[in-house]
């Protein structure tokens, strides 16, 4: 049998390299109109009055008064307004759209609008908890009571911006009298559709959402586009013209969701032999002005509390806080990067505190097949971490370097992270909320269409999902078509998020293809559908957060080597080694692409990417000031993929997309820690912070 | 409506400058950003626009007795390809933007833009470069530090343009450039540094230090440099701390979104110290 991992040309390669792919900004329509958003310029205020200039013919403003349905974006928490009504709660909060034909005139109208505010006291500290969660494993209280000693450390992480190349954008138009069609740069066509239905208070068939070519997303186009989609749908109904809206780069960086800043307090109860008996953890997330998806991000952070280690007794708590800042949301890793930074640094710091070799200390706590997970579920599948760690340490010469770099005057360091990532939605999310459905349609010419809502945003979903179908059917590639999803044509196979697409959607497509193959009737139209069913072994209680949080886990090891300049305190990443267990690579080159991109983003989160706000105003709002690594900053990488097929994944595949990001920050932070001989508890570890640490100036 | 003028000769450009009020666009990599509009809309220029990038007359590198003369519109990449331009210039210029940008952006634009964080001009201060300004009324030659008078401020008159840059030759033993931009390409300097030294039999004949991004304009403290000329490297070692303190008093960095005052102050000091200690060690 042919090995599925053997790479094929990417499905979207030709259209993207040739420039034929149509991004939102490339879409032309007769009589195209444009929209621009008028936004709040302060963090917290009551709108007293809005003075509009005289609007020329053909120009309209659209605000909350125009919404026929609910003035909130349909998400898990329904607190996020489509347009602000009387109070604004963050800088950049949308108040209205100005729409018309000429962009310069729209701009002039926006410039002339005067909004009178009464300022209200803004809150920027984590004071107001709006979501609280907790879970227990074993008996942490008893373990703490009998502990030989208790060690506490606090870990902090900053914002991270998705920095997709293509800013947010949509084109919207009416089909007939009342059906609105939206073409957008989105990850989740059905999220947009369902949100628009609520805002318009219309029937499902009156909203159609089509995915345009997507120039990167990283979670930034998971829930946020629903907001724009709702606004634009309202505008399209009012103006009855096609309207295009595309964010400016600065606008995008100021107003779109980012990775939640976090503060995690870790306490360990240690026995006299220096083993961790129990951990108490509290993670605090800054949601910004609205909760949105933050409660779910919090869950994923909490569930990752022990990452790739097994600790028998846990007391885990978390809170989401509202502040008068830009709402935070989905970003590759979804809470896990914050927690994995905290736990991996903590294990390292505990070992140092105890005077033990961190490597041996971590080994002694490493999770094994059959162990209880943090939420008292079971690690059912084989865990290959012993072999993976062995591979990573030998290819990087980790142990020798660890010794050589211990002396203070070499300013070099090597750091290693171990981690896992739960694949798919948490707990029963897939079966209770998503209920993914896929469809294969065969025409009477025996051509097969893959009908799913999965979006290719560059990560390769089109290639791998089509490959699963092609290989299962045993037909040539040109006999199968996978068009960008259109909600009028595809069933809801769920959002393109949470490292679920290859495993869940791909798994269903493999089943559908198998059925089609078995029932194949030449020259006849056939349709096969499959709907997700929770594996029977997965038992999960959403209230107590107890049971199997995920059906499967991907695993990883990252090793990062750095040098730090004692003159400028700048970090140079010298090399990065990674070993991953993703079940089975559906396409080796695509997995390696995810590996390189993910680790670049993960490592940069740890030392390079700085974003802060000042009084609620984002300070790093363009690509000059928000520093992501360029090709010359990126260190060489060496990546090894282990096969460990997962019985329920297509060809054994598990999740890939987020795994390669989550371990980057602790690995680079540990490397910097060694190079400068000072502990790191906060990321990004900027040159400014490294200076203060090296000069013992921290307060 | 602003007028957009593309002159066909340098002379014609000067006549336009005499008769009108223009923004000069060379590579356009600063000015197009300064006047940028929302995407898809033309820039918001305040005056008529004179596009000079096509004037091949001002694209040259002349190597002459004791000096190089660089035509104002010579792009960085052309300069980088020239075999005789000293490495310290090339190392500074290769740190500007990315390759695409360096094929259009010019040194004259870097001078006239007068940014406190400009990199291209740093070695010009080190070498005491001169700038030739010309108008229909004639030309005048000013030292670089007399052309740039403050942040975004220059001595270039409204009818003048930069014709060329004259760089005197020097035979320094060492001339170095350090850019602290936190990432390796497409970064705005937080601090930048040039150092050059000439030593004969242990005695310092010439020492020059320039610092960028730590004050409204590039810092070159000729008076401090004079205090170490003629002394030995051993004597310099003894005076090092005092010299570093004197430099620290000269720099006035700011806090901004890219870095802190404290960091810039400390790193500027470290860069000078590191450079001088290396020279002292070499003996
Ligand atoms: C992505 C990016 C990265 C960058 N990176 C760097 C960097 O790393 N370091 C750095 O120092 N700069 C950087 N810059 C800024 C810019 O590229 C440089 O300052 C460049 O040297 C400007 O040259 P130009 O020819 O494009 O100037 P222009 O934009 O054409 O002009 C700049 C100013 O100079 C005036 N001017 C131009 N030519 C003349 C002349 N002959 N006589 C009189 N006035 C004139 C113009 O009227 C204008 O006011 C970057 C810019 C961008 C967009």
């Amino acid at each position: 049998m042919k090995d599925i991992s053997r790479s094929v040309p990417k499905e979207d390669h030709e259209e993207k390299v040739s420039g034929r792919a149509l991004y939102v900004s490339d879409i032309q329509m007769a009589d195209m109109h444009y929209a621009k958003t008028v936004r709040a310029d302060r963090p917290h205020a009551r709108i007293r009055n809005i003075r509009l200039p005289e609007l020329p013919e053909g120009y309209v403003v659209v605000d909350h008064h125009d919404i026929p349905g609910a003035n909130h974006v349909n998400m898990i928490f329904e607190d996020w307004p489509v347009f602000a009504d009387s109070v604004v709660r963050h800088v950049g909060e949308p108040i209205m759209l100005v729409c018309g034909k000429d962009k310069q005139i729209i701009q002039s109208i926006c410039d002339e609008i005067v909004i009178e505010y009464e300022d209200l006291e803004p809150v920027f500290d984590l004071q107001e908890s709006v979501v609280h969660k907790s879970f227990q494993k074993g008996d942490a209280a008893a373990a703490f009571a009998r502990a030989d000693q208790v060690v506490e450390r606090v870990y902090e992480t900053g914002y991270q911006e998705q920095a997709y190349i293509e800013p947010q954008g949509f084109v919207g138009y009416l089909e007939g009298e009342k059906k609105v069609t939206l073409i957008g740069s989105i990850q989740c066509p059905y999220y947009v559709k369902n949100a628009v239905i609520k805002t318009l208070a219309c029937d499902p068939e009156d909203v159609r959402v089509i995915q345009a070519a997507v120039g990167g997303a990283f979670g930034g186009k998971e829930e946020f586009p629903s907001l724009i989609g709702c606004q634009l749908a309202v505008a399209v109904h009012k103006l009855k013209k096609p309207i295009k809206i595309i964010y400016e780069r600065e606008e995008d960086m100021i107003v779109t969701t980012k990775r939640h800043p976090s503060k995690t307090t870790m306490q360990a109860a240690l026995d006299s032999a220096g083993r961790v008996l129990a951990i108490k953890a509290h993670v605090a997330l800054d949601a910004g002005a609205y909760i949105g998806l933050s409660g779910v991000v919090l869950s994923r952070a909490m569930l990752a509390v022990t990452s790739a280690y097994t600790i028998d007794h846990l007391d885990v708590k978390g809170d989401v806080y509202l502040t008068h800042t830009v709402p935070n949301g989905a970003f590759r890793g979804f809470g896990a990067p914050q927690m994995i930074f905290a736990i991996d640094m903590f294990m390292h710091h505990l070992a140092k505190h105890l005077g033990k070799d961190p490597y041996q200390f971590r080994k002694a706590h490493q999770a094994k097949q059959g162990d209880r997970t943090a939420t008292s579920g079971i690690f059912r599948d084989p865990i290959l971490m012993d072999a993976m760690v062995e591979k990573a340490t030998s290819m990087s010469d980790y142990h020798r370097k660890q010794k050589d770099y211990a002396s203070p005057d070499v300013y070099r360091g090597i750091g290693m992270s171990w981690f896992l990532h739960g694949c798919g939605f948490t707990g029963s999310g897939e079966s209770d909320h998503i209920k993914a459905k896929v469809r294969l349609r065969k025409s009477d010419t025996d051509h097969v269409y893959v009908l799913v809502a999965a979006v290719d945003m560059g990560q390769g979903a089109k290639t791998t999902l089509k490959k699963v179908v092609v290989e299962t059917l045993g037909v040539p590639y040109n006999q199968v078509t996978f068009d960008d999803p259109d909600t009028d044509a595809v069933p809801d196979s769920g959002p393109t998020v949470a490292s679920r697409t290859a495993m869940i959607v791909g798994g269903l497509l493999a089943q559908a293809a198998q059925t089609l193959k078995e029932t194949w009737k030449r020259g006849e139209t056939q349709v096969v559908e499959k709907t997700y069913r929770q594996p029977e072994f997965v038992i999960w209680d959403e209230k107590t957060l107890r049971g199997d949080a995920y059906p499967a886990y991907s695993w990883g090891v990252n090793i990062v080597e750095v040098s730090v300049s004692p003159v400028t305190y700048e970090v140079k990443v010298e090399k990065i080694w990674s070993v991953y267990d993703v079940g089975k690579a559906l396409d080796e080159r695509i997995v390696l692409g995810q590996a390189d991109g993910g680790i670049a983003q993960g490592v940069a989160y740890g030392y390079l990417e700085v974003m802060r706000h000042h009084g609620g105003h984002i300070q790093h709002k363009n690509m000059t000031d928000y520093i992501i690594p360029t090709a010359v900053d990126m260190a060489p990488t060496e990546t090894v993929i282990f096969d460990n097929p997962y019985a329920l994944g297509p060809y054994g595949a598990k999740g890939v997309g987020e795994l390669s990001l989550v371990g980057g920050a602790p690995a680079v932070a540990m490397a910097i820690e060694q190079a400068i001989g000072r502990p790191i508890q906060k990321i990004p570890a900027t040159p400014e912070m490294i200076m203060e640490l090296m000069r013992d100036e921290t307060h | 409506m602003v007028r957009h003028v593309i002159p066909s000769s340098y002379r014609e450009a000067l006549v336009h400058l005499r008769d009108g009020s223009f923004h000069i666009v060379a590579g356009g990599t600063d000015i197009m950003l300064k006047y940028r509009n929302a995407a898809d809309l033309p820039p918001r220029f305040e005056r008529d626009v004179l596009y000079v990038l096509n004037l091949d007359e001002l694209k040259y590198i002349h190597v002459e007795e004791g000096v190089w003369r660089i035509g104002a519109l010579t792009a960085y990449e052309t300069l980088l390809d020239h075999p005789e331009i000293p490495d310290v210039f090339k190392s500074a210029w290769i740190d500007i933007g990315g390759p695409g940008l360096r094929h259009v952006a010019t040194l004259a634009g870097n001078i006239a833009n007068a940014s406190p964080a400009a990199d291209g001009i740093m070695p010009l201060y080190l070498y005491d470069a001169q700038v030739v300004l010309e108008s229909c009324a004639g030309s005048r030659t000013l030292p670089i530090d007399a052309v740039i008078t403050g942040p975004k401020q220059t001595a270039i008159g409204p009818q003048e343009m930069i014709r060329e840059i004259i760089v005197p030759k020097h035979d320094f033993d060492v001339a170095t450039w350090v850019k602290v931009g936190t990432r390796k390409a497409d970064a705005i300097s937080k601090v930048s540094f040039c150092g050059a030294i000439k030593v004969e039999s242990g005695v310092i004949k010439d020492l020059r230090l320039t610092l960028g991004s730590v004050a409204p304009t590039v810092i070159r403290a000729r008076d401090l440099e004079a205090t170490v000329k003629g002394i030995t490297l051993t004597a310099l070692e003894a005076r090092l701390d005092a010299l570093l303190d004197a430099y620290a008093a000269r720099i006035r960095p700011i806090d901004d979104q890219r870095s802190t005052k404290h960091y810039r102050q400390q790193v500027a000091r470290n860069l000078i110290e590191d450079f001088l200690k290396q020279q002292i060690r070499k003996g």
Side-chain angles (χ1 to χ4, degrees):
Chain A
M1 204 185 101
K2 204 163 98 198
D3 185 356
I4 188 101
S5 301
R6 264 187 47 203
S7 301
V8 297
K10 267 184 108 192
E11 188 65 14
D12 51 341
H13 172 83
E14 223 287 312
E15 62 170 29
K16 284 185 177 159
V17 170
S18 67
R20 274 192 299 103
L22 287 187
Y23 295 85
V24 173
S25 85
D26 301 320
I27 297 169
Q28 308 292 340
M29 289 179 77
D31 203 22
M32 185 76 94
H33 285 55
Y34 301 92
K36 193 168 172 67
T37 316
V38 176
R39 303 179 176 283
D41 64 354
R42 56 202 66 207
H44 192 200
R46 189 177 307 285
I47 299 174
R48 278 275 167 242
N49 185 30
I50 299 179
R51 269 183 292 146
L52 298 176
E54 183 112 14
L55 296 180
E57 165 117 23
Y59 291 79
V60 296
V61 301
V62 180
D63 69 7
H64 69 98
H65 298 104
D66 298 301
I67 298 174
N71 184 16
H72 60 70
V73 185
N74 182 52
M75 267 181 239
I76 293 174
F77 289 86
E78 305 192 325
D79 67 334
W80 194 339
V82 174
F83 289 112
D85 49 23
S86 54
V87 175
V88 295
R89 295 183 182 82
H90 68 92
V91 171
E93 177 150 14
I95 298 169
M96 61 179 94
L97 296 185
V98 176
C99 309
K101 213 158 170 177
D102 185 294
K103 288 184 188 169
Q104 189 66 64
I105 296 174
I106 294 171
Q107 181 66 53
S108 312
I109 295 171
C110 291
D111 292 344
E112 285 172 45
I113 293 173
V114 180
I115 303 174
E116 288 163 21
Y117 296 99
E118 173 195 338
D119 283 315
L120 303 170
E121 194 60 40
V123 173
F124 300 123
D125 298 336
L126 305 187
Q127 298 172 353
E128 195 188 331
S129 169
V130 283
V131 180
H132 176 79
K133 295 190 182 200
S134 66
F135 67 83
Q136 310 274 329
K137 176 187 180 186
D139 187 345
F144 270 82
R146 68 169 192 277
D148 184 60
Q149 57 172 317
V150 171
V151 177
E152 179 180 310
R153 294 280 187 281
V154 178
Y155 298 93
E156 288 177 71
T157 64
Y159 278 123
Q160 190 177 21
E161 164 66 32
Q162 292 88 351
Y164 30 69
I165 298 175
E166 182 206 20
Q168 306 264 352
F170 271 98
V171 169
Y173 56 92
L174 279 181
E175 281 181 69
E177 287 288 286
K178 53 178 185 164
K179 179 171 181 175
V180 64
T181 297
L182 298 169
I183 310 176
S185 181
I186 55 178
Q187 282 174 250
C188 313
Y190 274 92
Y191 276 8
V192 178
K193 177 170 164 127
N194 294 334
V196 172
I197 292 169
K198 286 229 169 140
T199 294
L200 295 182
C202 67
D203 295 330
E205 53 274 21
D206 291 338
V207 181
R208 175 182 182 190
V209 177
I210 302 170
Q211 178 227 314
V214 177
F218 308 105
K221 294 170 183 171
E222 175 170 342
E223 79 278 31
F224 192 86
S226 297
L227 173 70
I228 313 177
C230 289
Q231 295 170 344
L232 192 64
V234 174
V236 164
H237 268 287
K238 185 163 182 177
L239 197 61
K240 310 215 181 302
K241 299 282 184 194
I243 306 177
K244 184 187 279 192
I245 183 166
I246 296 186
Y247 281 9
E248 300 284 327
R249 172 66 64 189
E250 288 205 352
E251 177 181 30
D252 194 300
M253 290 184 77
I254 292 168
V255 308
T256 64
T257 46
K258 313 183 185 313
R259 191 183 303 292
H260 296 71
S262 76
K263 185 170 181 177
T264 301
T265 308
M266 289 282 192
Q267 284 182 309
L270 301 168
D271 70 11
S272 55
R275 267 194 69 89
V276 181
L277 293 170
I279 286 182
K280 276 190 203 169
H282 178 265
V283 53
L285 296 183
D286 180 349
Y290 298 108
I291 302 173
L293 296 182
S294 297
V296 200
V297 174
L298 178 70
S299 296
R300 200 176 258 275
M302 290 167 64
L303 300 176
V305 62
T306 45
S307 187
Y309 310 99
T310 295
I311 308 290
D312 292 336
H313 306 284
L314 295 173
D315 179 353
V316 182
K317 295 190 170 66
D319 286 275
V320 168
Y321 299 88
L322 288 187
T323 58
H324 292 105
T325 58
V326 55
N328 297 309
F331 192 151
R332 193 180 197 175
F334 211 77
Q338 291 93 323
M339 185 54 96
I340 287 174
F341 169 70
I343 181 64
D344 238 38
M345 297 310 286
F346 190 46
M347 292 301 281
H348 189 73
H349 291 157
L350 284 175
K352 285 189 161 175
H353 170 83
L354 290 163
K356 295 190 170 217
D357 171 25
Y359 176 79
Q360 296 301 339
F361 181 77
R362 290 158 75 173
K363 271 262 156 214
H365 293 88
Q366 184 188 311
K368 299 194 171 47
Q369 184 176 16
D371 281 357
R372 291 274 166 189
T373 67
T375 53
S376 312
I378 294 175
F379 286 122
R380 288 192 171 73
D381 297 316
I383 296 174
L384 310 183
M385 284 295 273
D386 277 330
M388 290 164 63
V389 169
E390 169 57 33
K391 179 77 199 169
T393 51
S394 65
M395 71 179 176
S396 61
D397 203 2
Y398 176 83
H399 294 295
R400 180 188 64 77
K401 289 176 179 169
Q402 184 66 36
K403 275 201 210 79
D404 289 356
Y405 300 163
S407 77
D409 52 356
V410 297
Y411 300 107
R412 260 183 117 90
I414 190 160
M416 172 161 63
S417 61
W418 300 358
F419 48 92
L420 52 62
H421 195 74
C423 306
F425 267 75
T426 302
S428 45
E430 288 289 347
S431 55
D432 292 354
H433 299 297
I434 305 296
K435 305 185 177 82
K437 187 191 269 187
V438 307
R439 185 183 302 145
L440 290 177
R441 187 165 58 77
K442 180 167 84 63
S443 69
D444 55 11
T445 60
D446 291 337
H447 195 84
V448 177
Y449 294 87
V450 180
L451 300 173
V452 293
V455 166
D456 198 317
M457 47 198 135
Q459 88 282 35
K462 264 187 169 175
T463 310
T464 50
L465 294 182
K466 175 167 162 178
K467 195 173 186 184
V468 165
V469 173
V470 164
E471 296 295 327
T472 307
L473 288 173
V475 298
Y477 272 82
N478 61 9
Q479 202 178 330
V480 178
T481 295
F482 183 161
D483 286 325
D484 289 338
D486 168 348
T487 57
D488 272 11
V490 303
D492 186 358
S493 62
T496 318
V497 304
S499 301
R500 65 181 288 280
T501 303
M503 186 174 97
I504 306 275
V505 182
L508 290 171
L509 281 173
Q511 292 171 28
Q514 189 60 38
T515 304
L516 181 61
K517 184 178 186 177
E518 285 162 8
T519 59
W520 187 278
K521 298 193 189 73
R522 261 183 66 186
E524 274 183 39
T525 304
Q526 283 177 277
V527 172
V528 179
E529 286 192 350
K530 295 284 171 187
T531 305
Y532 183 77
R533 295 220 346 261
Q534 181 113 305
E536 261 147 35
F537 59 80
V538 173
I539 294 161
W540 175 251
D541 182 346
E542 184 66 42
K543 281 204 191 65
T544 56
L545 299 177
R546 205 179 160 81
D548 288 300
Y550 303 98
Y553 298 85
S554 292
W555 300 80
V557 180
N558 290 149
I559 295 183
V560 175
E561 182 171 349
V562 303
S563 56
V564 176
S565 162
V567 177
T568 67
Y569 315 107
E570 289 172 300
V571 173
K572 176 165 189 265
V573 179
E574 302 283 351
K575 185 147 186 193
I576 303 171
W577 298 265
S578 304
V579 181
Y580 299 117
D581 157 15
V582 296
K584 174 75 185 165
L586 289 178
D587 188 283
E588 193 181 16
R589 186 163 45 211
I590 283 177
V591 172
L592 291 176
Q594 289 294 296
D596 281 348
I599 196 68
Q601 206 163 27
V603 167
Y605 177 51
Y607 86 106
L608 202 58
E609 297 190 18
V610 180
M611 181 175 270
R612 291 193 207 97
H613 73 82
H614 181 72
H617 295 263
I618 292 290
Q619 299 294 293
H620 305 84
K621 52 191 185 210
N622 54 44
M623 303 308 282
T624 308
D625 290 342
Y626 185 70
I627 304 284
I628 60 172
T630 66
V632 277
D633 296 288
M634 187 54 194
T637 57
E638 210 175 312
T639 303
V640 174
I641 310 291
F642 272 47
D643 275 358
N644 184 17
Y646 165 55
L648 299 179
Y651 295 86
K654 301 186 284 193
V656 175
E658 295 169 292
L659 180 74
S660 57
L661 184 145
V662 298
V668 75
M670 273 179 237
I672 295 170
E673 174 164 326
Q674 183 177 39
I676 67 174
R678 310 283 194 287
I680 304 268
Q681 288 178 220
K682 193 172 166 181
I683 52 169
T686 61
E688 287 77 7
M689 178 179 131
I690 291 170
M691 170 189 75
E692 291 182 357
L693 289 170
M694 287 179 80
R695 296 175 48 79
D696 299 314
E697 296 171 342
T698 40
H699 14 259
Chain B
M1 281 288 271
V2 297
R3 249 179 354 127
H4 296 265
V5 178
I6 304 177
S8 50
S9 71
Y10 175 47
R11 189 59 13 218
E12 189 194 328
L14 291 180
V15 170
H16 282 298
L17 287 174
R18 183 192 64 201
D19 298 339
S21 169
F22 285 93
H23 293 299
I24 296 174
V25 175
T29 61
D30 275 316
I31 197 164
M32 296 303 283
L33 268 70
K34 183 169 174 202
Y35 293 103
R36 79 181 186 282
N37 200 343
D40 270 4
L41 292 176
R44 288 181 281 211
F45 288 120
E46 294 160 356
R47 299 196 288 277
D48 292 344
V49 190
L50 189 68
Y51 297 90
V52 297
L53 190 64
N54 293 334
L55 300 179
D56 289 343
E57 296 156 79
L58 296 192
K59 294 177 187 170
Y60 57 81
I61 304 161
H62 292 156
V63 184
E64 292 175 7
E65 188 67 28
V67 295
W68 295 281
R69 307 174 86 93
I70 298 172
L73 296 174
T74 318
Y76 290 116
E77 282 293 328
T78 313
L79 295 170
L80 289 170
D81 282 345
H82 196 277
E84 286 181 48
I85 303 261
D87 286 346
V88 63
F89 287 84
K90 291 189 176 177
S91 56
W93 293 338
I94 199 130
D95 276 350
I96 293 177
L101 180 116
R102 291 194 298 268
H103 277 286
V104 292
T106 65
L107 191 53
N110 203 244
I111 297 170
N113 191 55
S115 159
D119 298 320
I121 55 176
M122 281 283 287
L124 298 182
Y125 279 76
L126 197 69
Y127 273 64
D128 286 329
Q130 305 221 302
V131 180
V132 179
L133 304 176
E134 192 162 35
S135 69
C136 285
S139 75
R140 54 188 181 131
T141 302
L142 296 180
I144 179 76
D145 47 3
V147 175
I148 298 175
T149 54
K152 302 275 157 192
Q153 280 162 3
T154 70
I156 306 169
Q159 303 193 353
E160 281 181 322
M161 64 179 278
I162 299 174
R163 188 185 79 203
E164 70 176 11
I165 297 118
I166 303 174
V167 183
K169 293 181 184 169
H170 289 283
D171 60 340
F172 298 121
D173 303 332
V174 184
T176 60
W177 156 256
V178 182
K179 171 169 176 165
V180 184
T182 298
R183 93 177 146 197
K184 294 193 181 59
D186 264 328
I188 297 183
S189 290
K190 294 171 168 182
V191 184
S192 62
F193 171 82
C194 275
I197 195 164
K198 174 108 189 123
V199 178
E200 274 168 24
S201 341
V203 176
I204 300 170
K205 290 285 163 201
D206 198 355
L207 172 73
R208 301 174 178 203
L209 305 173
T210 67
L211 289 161
S213 286
V214 290
T217 57
V218 173
I219 290 196
R220 166 118 191 254
R222 290 191 173 75
D223 56 332
L224 297 180
E225 291 172 5
T227 63
V228 296
K229 262 178 219 164
I231 70 169
T232 62
L233 286 171
T234 324
L236 174 65
E237 187 167 17
R239 283 199 211 169
L240 192 56
D241 282 340
L243 186 66
L244 293 171
D245 289 343
Y247 270 98
R250 296 294 170 91
I251 69 178
R252 282 170 289 144
I254 55 161
D255 284 320
D256 64 13
Q257 73 275 26
R258 284 188 278 275
S259 189
T260 61
K261 194 162 128 178
H262 180 31
Y263 175 82
R264 290 180 162 115
Q265 182 89 43
Q266 184 64 47
V267 170
R269 187 187 179 103
N270 291 356
L271 287 166
I272 302 174
E273 181 177 4
D274 186 53
F275 175 76
L276 294 177
K277 281 192 170 161
Q278 281 184 38
Q279 310 318 317
I280 292 164
R281 264 200 304 277
K282 272 190 262 172

